[in-house]
Amino acid sequence: MRAIPEIQSAVLLLGEYDFHLRIVVLDIDHYQALLQDKLVSLPGVQEMQSSVILEVVKNSTALPL
C-alpha cells in the first residue's frame, strides 16, 4: 500500500474490516484500473467494499482544544 500513490491514507482497524483506505483517483475508470491492476493483488486481500464520496461536508484537522 505504501508504494501506491493513489492511496492517500491507510489505517488498520478492529472490527468487520482490516483496513480503511482513502484513495484519490481521476475518475471511475482510473479507480477500476487501480482496483484490478493493484489492489486485488495485494497480499492477503480476499474481499473489498467501496464507497464513493459525493460531497465533502466538513474536512478539518483542527483539534477542539
Side-chain angles (χ1 to χ4, degrees):
M1 286 186 273
R2 290 182 178 106
I4 301 172
E6 291 91 347
I7 298 176
Q8 299 291 301
S9 172
V11 295
L12 182 61
L13 304 172
L14 290 175
E16 187 175 353
Y17 299 102
D18 295 327
F19 288 94
H20 180 270
L21 305 179
R22 186 171 59 94
I23 296 172
V24 177
V25 291
L26 297 171
D27 54 30
I28 200 69
D29 292 330
H30 184 183
Y31 177 69
Q32 183 177 1
L34 176 69
L35 183 73
Q36 292 175 340
D37 298 340
K38 296 181 183 176
L39 297 181
V40 296
S41 63
L42 290 172
V45 172
Q46 295 178 359
E47 181 181 342
M48 288 191 287
Q49 179 179 350
S50 299
S51 297
V52 176
I53 296 172
L54 297 177
E55 177 184 355
V56 176
V57 176
K58 181 177 180 178
N59 186 23
S60 174
T61 58
L63 298 175
L65 300 177

